[in-house]
Amino acid sequence: MPPRYTPERVRYDRRYRTLDKYRFISWFLLVPLIIYAILVISPFFQAFYYSLTDWSGFSSDFNMVGLDNYSRMLEDDDFWASIRNSLLLLVVAPVITLGLGLFFAFMLQAGGRRKKSDAISGVTGAKFYKVVYFFPQVLSVAIIGVVWGAMFDPITGPINELLRTFGLGSLTQSWLANPDIAMFCVLFVMCWMFVGFYVVLFSAAMGSVPKDIYEAALLDGASRPTTFFRVTLPLIWDTVQTGWIYMGIQALDGFAVVHIMTINAGGPGNSTLVTPVYLYKKAFDVGQAGYATAVGVVLLIITMIFSGIMMLLSRRERIEF
């Protein structure tokens, strides 16, 4: 009597079970994918559709104008000013924020005095410092904008008052009214807002690195800077890459801080105008929702290009530990 299960029959049963498993998983994913497509994907296509119209945003009547909104951007000085400011934040804010986050996280994890039994030791009270660094993340962005706007006030603000107290009255400024430094004030506040998040994120990533690796580096005579650049940074590079993309997207947004802190939401003289604020003004202040939607589409394209470039430039061989 021939055997019941031949090699061909075994392979067939294996393929069938695999197909059945994926079919089972697909049915469970179907509903979430449909919801995601309706609530997340479809608005992107709707935005592109409305960017081809002259919709005012205040009525249901509009006409198709094709690519007129996009050609209008090429001659719009305010739009290009907002793009320049957004790109400035995109380049500078992640460098400063992630650099400070890595520095503080490494100091908290490895800045303490080395004990004989430990290759690496954190500072005393590291958990408390993490809470302090993370505190701005708990606050509302609106509260942060109002508080720092009051801090930079040239008359009643504590920054100028502190400079006068220490005899540095010549350094007092109308911080947010000076077009040469207003953008740097916004940049400072954005970095202050997010640095604590990355301190906690990078501290968690560094804490997952086995101490055996640090012990080997210590036996080789590696100093703290060498340990950071040759050991710690390569091992947490995936986290740094993710943080870079996330911070870049946050920098491209920058709506709430600029809208609340600055003069006329982007002033003085468009020196702090960023693209999301410009979009908001066109949509709600002058009733040009179709043009504002076209600006939003361009901002989406810039964000996707940035994410793709960062993933390509920061790609490296994954290190397992």
Side-chain angles (χ1 to χ4, degrees):
M1 184 175 182
R4 184 178 179 183
Y5 290 101
T6 63
E8 291 77 10
R9 178 62 182 274
V10 171
R11 285 194 294 269
Y12 173 80
D13 289 346
R14 188 176 299 168
R15 286 196 299 269
Y16 180 80
R17 286 195 298 268
T18 302
L19 182 62
D20 191 57
K21 179 181 68 174
Y22 285 118
R23 187 184 296 114
F24 179 76
I25 295 174
S26 299
W27 278 110
F28 271 96
L29 292 177
L30 182 61
V31 175
L33 287 175
I34 292 175
I35 295 175
Y36 181 82
I38 294 174
L39 299 181
V40 179
I41 302 299
S42 65
F44 289 111
F45 293 98
Q46 293 176 22
F48 180 73
Y49 172 76
Y50 284 117
S51 71
L52 304 176
T53 69
D54 62 354
W55 182 41
S56 67
F58 300 112
S59 71
S60 59
D61 298 327
F62 57 83
N63 299 308
M64 297 296 296
V65 295
L67 299 177
D68 288 355
N69 288 327
Y70 294 95
S71 60
R72 175 184 167 187
M73 289 182 205
L74 300 177
E75 302 175 356
D76 192 336
D77 293 336
D78 291 342
F79 168 74
W80 288 112
S82 72
I83 289 291
R84 286 194 297 270
N85 291 330
S86 292
L87 291 179
L88 173 65
L89 292 178
L90 175 63
V91 173
V92 179
V95 173
I96 297 177
T97 306
L98 270 67
L100 290 175
L102 286 168
F103 174 76
F104 289 133
F106 188 70
M107 288 297 100
L108 291 177
Q109 292 294 120
R113 294 183 178 181
R114 286 175 175 170
K115 301 177 183 179
K116 293 182 179 180
S117 58
D118 292 332
I120 187 170
S121 177
V123 298
T124 304
K127 293 182 179 180
F128 172 75
Y129 292 130
K130 290 177 186 178
V131 173
V132 174
Y133 285 132
F134 193 78
F135 180 72
Q137 286 291 304
V138 181
L139 300 176
S140 167
V141 180
I143 294 175
I144 292 175
V146 171
V147 170
W148 277 104
M151 293 278 287
F152 285 120
D153 189 280
I155 299 175
T156 61
I159 295 178
N160 278 350
E161 189 62 31
L162 189 64
L163 292 174
R164 297 188 191 99
T165 302
F166 286 97
L168 301 174
S170 60
L171 298 179
T172 58
Q173 298 281 339
S174 296
W175 302 97
L176 296 176
N178 187 339
D180 295 329
I181 61 175
M183 195 62 188
F184 294 101
C185 296
V186 173
L187 176 64
F188 170 81
V189 174
M190 289 190 66
C191 294
W192 179 85
M193 284 171 54
F194 291 105
V195 69
F197 172 80
Y198 292 102
V199 170
V200 175
L201 177 66
F202 294 147
S203 295
M206 294 176 187
S208 65
V209 178
K211 290 188 176 182
D212 294 346
I213 299 177
Y214 289 115
E215 291 176 358
L218 179 62
L219 291 175
D220 289 339
S223 61
R224 280 196 176 96
T226 302
T227 301
F228 174 77
F229 287 106
R230 297 295 182 88
V231 178
T232 304
L233 187 58
L235 291 177
I236 67 168
W237 186 252
D238 287 346
T239 305
V240 175
Q241 181 188 46
T242 303
W244 194 288
I245 295 174
Y246 177 72
M247 184 59 206
I249 294 173
Q250 291 293 331
L252 277 175
D253 183 8
F255 170 80
V257 174
V258 172
H259 195 268
I260 295 171
M261 284 181 55
T262 59
I263 298 172
N264 195 27
N270 289 342
S271 61
T272 59
L273 182 66
V274 292
T275 307
V277 173
Y278 179 69
L279 185 157
Y280 176 87
K281 285 185 172 184
K282 287 299 180 181
F284 298 103
D285 291 351
V286 297
Q288 297 177 3
Y291 181 67
T293 306
V295 174
V297 172
V298 173
L299 185 61
L300 169 65
I301 294 173
I302 293 175
T303 304
M304 295 178 66
I305 291 174
F306 164 75
S307 300
I309 291 175
M310 290 311 305
M311 293 183 69
L312 288 175
L313 293 180
S314 59
R315 180 185 297 174
R316 59 172 62 186
E317 185 178 353
R318 183 180 179 87
I319 300 176
E320 302 288 347
F321 57 87

